[in-house]
Amino acid sequence: MLPSFLLKALKWPVSLTVKSKLVPQDPVKELGLDPSKPIVYAFKTASASDLLAVRRLCLAMGLPDPAAPLQLAGQTVPRCLFMDKPVTLLTRKRRHGNFRDALKALLKPLREDNQQDVQLLPVSLFWGRQPGHENPSLLGSMLSDYDSPSWLRKMLIIAFYGRDNFVRFARPVSLRNLLDQRDDSDDNLSHKLARVARVHFSRQRLVMTGPRLPDRETMLAALLKTEPMKRAIEDEARSRKEDFGQAEQRANQYLQEIAAKFSPGFIRFLDRLLGWIWNRIYKGIKVSNAEVVRQLAHDGNEIVFVPCHRSHMDYLLLSYVIYQQGMVPPHIAAGVNLNFFPAGPLFRRGGAFFIRRSFKGNKLYSTVFREYLYSLFQKGYSVKYFTEGGRSRTGRLLPPKTGMLAMTVQSLLRSSERPISLVPVYIGYEHVMEVGSYLKELRGNSKEKESGWQAFKSTIKALRQDFGQGFVNFGQPIALSQYLTEQVPDWRRSSGDADAKPSWLTPLVNRLGDEMLTRINDAAALNGVTLVSLALLCAERRALSREVLENQLDLLLALARQAPYSAHVTLPEQDGKALLEQVLKGDKFQVSEDGLGELISLDETQAIAMTYYRNNILHLYMLPSLVARLLLDGPKSLDTLCEQVLALYPLLKAELFMGIDEAALGEHLQALLGALEQQGLVSLDGERWQAANPQRPGYRKLWLLSGVIEESLQRYAIVLTLLRSPEPLGRAELENRAQAVAERLSALFGIQAPEFFDKKLIASLAATLREAELVVLGEQSELLPTPKALALDELVLNLLSNEVADTVRHVLCKDC
C-alpha cells in the first residue's frame, strides 16, 4: 500500500486538478460486481494520483475504499495490487510492484476457508489517451504514460491531461474460482496471474488509445511501394501510354484525396465540443451492448463498425459514443461529397477517409483505396462504414452496397493473422434533422449539394431545436473468419493474394450484406416517437383519443416484452401514459379537445413526416400485425396460421431485413398468440384461435394492430395481381405498371407513405418473387406466376378491405 502521508498530501491537489470519466458508467451492473464479496483492486502502476482518482469514483459508487486495508479471515491483507513501481528520474528500467507477494497473501486465507471468495478488479487509468507516435518528439515522450512514469513526468501528464482522465474497470476475476480450478502452488498461481495481468493492461491500453501513430506522409509513401500498388501503377502507365512517374503521381494524388489525418488532440477537442452539443440538443443518448464490443477489442479483434445511416449526425454521434465507451474512435469511410472546406480537413483529423461513389473504370483508384484500407487493418485501427451507401430517405434500411464489405473480406484473405469482427450498429433518433429535406427529395426535388455554408446553417438551426433522445445499440457481431468457414469451408485456399477475387466472393458478400442489415434491425430501439407514429398511422384519419392511444402504446410495449422480436431490441422503461406525455412535449403531433376529452392526431404534412419514424421499427410489428389481420379474417387453427404466415414471410423478410428464421417461426407465433391472449385480443376456442368479440376493447386494439401491415399487403397485392395479366409482363414493365397502380391507390385511399410507390421497393419485391420461386421466366424473359403465387395473391386480396381489393383487381383492365 502507498504511504498514507503521501495520499493525504495529494488528496486536495488531485481533487482540484483531476476530472475522471468512468468506463463503463455502471460497473456494478454491467460487470456483474458483487458488493457483498470482498473486492481487491489491481493497478498497472503504484501511483498516488491514480489511486486517489479511482478512490473518488469508488466512494461515489459505494465500492470499498482502495486506500483502506482489507480484513480477511482475521488477517490484514493488501487492498491494492500493483504490477510496477514508477521508474526513477534517471532511468527507465522497470521496477516490479507488490503484485505477486500481495496475491500470495490473499490466497493464503482463501485456502484456509474454502467458502471465502475475493473479487480481483483490474483498473486501468489513461491520462489524455495519447497513443504516442512511432517517432515521438521530446515533449511527446515526456507526456507519454506508457512506461510507469516517474513522479516528475506524472506531474507534467496531470498538468496537461488532468481534466481528461479515463478510468476503465474490467470484469472481476474470482480468486475462489481460480483456486478451485487449479492445483498450482500459490507461487505458481501468482506468477501466472501476474503474466496474464500484464497482457491485460497492455491490451486495455491498445483498446483505449489505439496503436502508435505513424507519420502520414511516410505511411503514404510506403504504400506506394507495395507490390500491388506498383503493379497497378505499371498497368495504369501502360494503358495510358505514359511514364511510370506520371502514373505514380496520380496514385499519390488519390492517396492524398483518400487518407485520413487522425489527430488525438483534435479528438479530445471534438469530445468536448460534441459533449456540449449533445447535451444542448439531446435529452440523453442511450447506449446498449457496448461491453461486448469492448471485449472484442480487448481480445485482439479488428473491429469494423457497420451502422445504419439515417443522418449526417451518425458520423459524429457514433464516434463520440465509441470514444466515451473507452475505445478509439474508428477511421470512417465518408463520401467524397463531404470533402468540402472547412468540413473536409476537420473530418480528416477526426479519422475520416474519403471514398468516391463509384470505382467503375478506374482500376488504379480501386487498388489505391483497397491498399489504404488494408493498411488500416494491418496497423490495428478500427474502421466504420455505412453498408447502405447513403442516408435512408424513408426510415427503412436500404439494400446493401457491398463494395466495402468485399474489400474487408479481401483484407482477411490477404492476411488472416488478426481476426476481424463486423459489429452492426442501430442508430435511432426521436428527431432526425434532415427529415424535411428527405420528403422534398422523395417528391422529386434534387438533393441539395453539401457546402460549408449549408453545414453552418444546419448547425445553427440544430442548436435551436430539441432532438429528444438518441439511441446507439451495438448488435450481435459477426466473426468474419468463422462466417467464411461456415459459408465457404475452403476459403483459406484463396488467401495470400492481394488481388484475389474468388468466384464465391460476390455471392458471399451479398449474403453478408443482408445479414449485417438484419442484425442492425435485430438491435432496434423503441422510443416514444416511433411508437406513437406507428399507432396513429394505423388509425382512420390518423387520430385517436388520448385514452385509446395510451392503451395501444401499452399493447405495443407488452408485445415487445412478452414475445420479443430479438434479445437485442431495447425498450423504454415508461408505460404508455408516461411515454405519450413525454412525446407530446415536442411539436410533432396535434392535440385538440372536445366534450369527450383529448384527441391526438396528425395533419397531412405531419403524417408524411411520421412515416419516417414509424419505418424505423416497422419490422418489429409486422408479424403481430399479420397474425391480427389473419384472425380478423376468421378463426384459424395454429397449423393454418403458421402455413399462411410462412407463405407471406419470405416477402416481409426480404423487404424489411427481418431476422427471425423460418425454422423458429412456429415457436415465435405461439409466443405472439400467448401475448395477444394475455392482453385480451384473441382467445382459443377448442383448436382454433379467434379475434376478440367486436364489443370488447381488445377488438379495437387488434384492429389497430392489424393496420401496421396494410401498406405492404396492398403493394404485394398489386404486383401479384399484375402477374395474372393475360399478357405476360417483363420485369421492367411489371415495375412500371405496379408503380402506376400504387400511385392510383395512394391517391384514392389517402396513403401518406412516400415509399408506397417507390420503384426501388417494387423492384426489390419483383426480385424476391423470383428468389422465393413465386415466378418463373418465360421464353421471352417474361415473369410467369407459379400456382403458389396465384394462391398467395388470393390470400392477400382476402386480407384487404373489399374496396381496396376490388380496386386492385381492376388493374387487369387496361383502362384501370
Side-chain angles (χ1 to χ4, degrees), residues 656-702:
L656 296 166
F657 299 100
M658 295 177 67
I660 299 173
D661 191 77
E662 281 88 341
L665 205 53
E667 183 180 344
H668 184 71
L669 287 178
Q670 290 188 57
L672 270 177
L673 289 167
L676 292 170
E677 182 181 32
Q678 188 173 338
Q679 296 299 315
L681 277 64
V682 303
S683 61
L684 184 61
D685 183 11
E687 294 185 353
R688 298 203 303 172
W689 288 93
Q690 61 182 12
N693 187 295
Q695 307 303 318
R696 305 291 299 172
Y699 183 87
R700 172 68 169 165
K701 293 181 183 180
L702 191 69

Side-chain angles (χ1 to χ4, degrees), residues 101-289:
D101 293 338
L103 188 58
K104 284 190 283 186
L106 281 168
L107 294 175
K108 183 178 178 181
L110 295 185
R111 290 195 184 278
E112 295 172 357
D113 181 0
N114 58 15
Q115 300 300 313
Q116 182 68 60
D117 192 10
V118 169
Q119 300 171 99
L120 183 61
L121 181 62
V123 186
S124 303
L125 288 90
F126 306 93
W127 302 86
R129 297 178 66 171
Q130 282 288 89
H133 288 77
E134 291 180 354
N135 298 302
S137 63
L138 177 61
L139 181 61
S141 298
M142 290 297 293
L143 295 179
S144 169
D145 65 340
Y146 265 86
D147 304 314
S148 302
S150 66
W151 63 268
L152 180 58
R153 283 179 57 212
K154 197 57 174 278
M155 285 178 61
L156 289 172
I157 290 168
I158 294 176
F160 274 82
Y161 303 127
R163 312 300 288 178
D164 192 25
N165 170 242
F166 277 75
V167 177
R168 169 77 164 99
F169 283 22
R171 197 167 294 279
V173 176
S174 168
L175 295 185
R176 168 54 51 200
N177 288 344
L178 283 179
L179 286 175
D180 292 344
Q181 292 169 8
R182 296 174 179 271
D183 295 328
D184 296 344
S185 66
D186 288 356
D187 190 58
N188 286 339
L189 188 56
S190 61
H191 177 75
K192 290 178 181 178
L193 197 55
R195 198 166 54 204
V196 170
R198 195 168 293 283
V199 172
H200 166 84
F201 287 121
S202 176
R203 287 183 173 177
Q204 286 284 43
R205 173 166 291 284
L206 190 62
V207 171
M208 184 70 79
T209 67
R212 292 181 184 268
L213 296 175
D215 176 74
R216 183 174 185 266
E217 296 305 318
T218 303
M219 183 187 76
L220 299 187
L223 279 176
L224 289 172
K225 303 302 180 184
T226 63
E227 285 302 318
M229 195 79 86
K230 286 193 289 187
R231 287 198 300 269
I233 293 171
E234 288 171 356
D235 290 344
E236 177 81 356
R238 193 179 304 113
S239 65
R240 288 178 173 259
K241 297 180 180 179
E242 60 187 15
D243 61 42
F244 184 88
Q246 289 176 298
E248 185 178 42
Q249 185 178 6
R250 190 176 302 110
N252 185 55
Q253 288 171 352
Y254 289 154
L255 272 175
Q256 296 292 343
E257 175 189 307
I258 292 167
K261 194 175 182 180
F262 189 79
S263 167
F266 183 73
I267 293 296
R268 288 195 301 275
F269 165 76
L270 207 57
D271 175 55
R272 291 182 174 86
L273 176 64
L274 291 178
W276 176 78
I277 291 175
W278 301 148
N279 288 330
R280 185 176 179 87
I281 67 177
Y282 290 120
K283 293 178 180 175
I285 298 170
K286 294 190 175 181
V287 181
S288 175
N289 211 29

Side-chain angles (χ1 to χ4, degrees), residues 309-315 391-393 429 431-441 454 458 465 467 612-613:
H309 200 7
R310 307 202 192 281
S311 167
H312 280 316
M313 285 286 192
D314 300 340
Y315 293 101
R391 292 167 293 158
S392 170
R393 267 62 176 172
Y429 304 92
H431 178 79
V432 175
M433 66 178 180
E434 297 103 323
V435 163
S437 63
Y438 291 166
L439 298 179
K440 291 177 183 177
E441 290 177 35
Q454 182 200 21
S458 299
Q465 292 180 290
F467 279 44
Y612 187 94
Y613 299 98

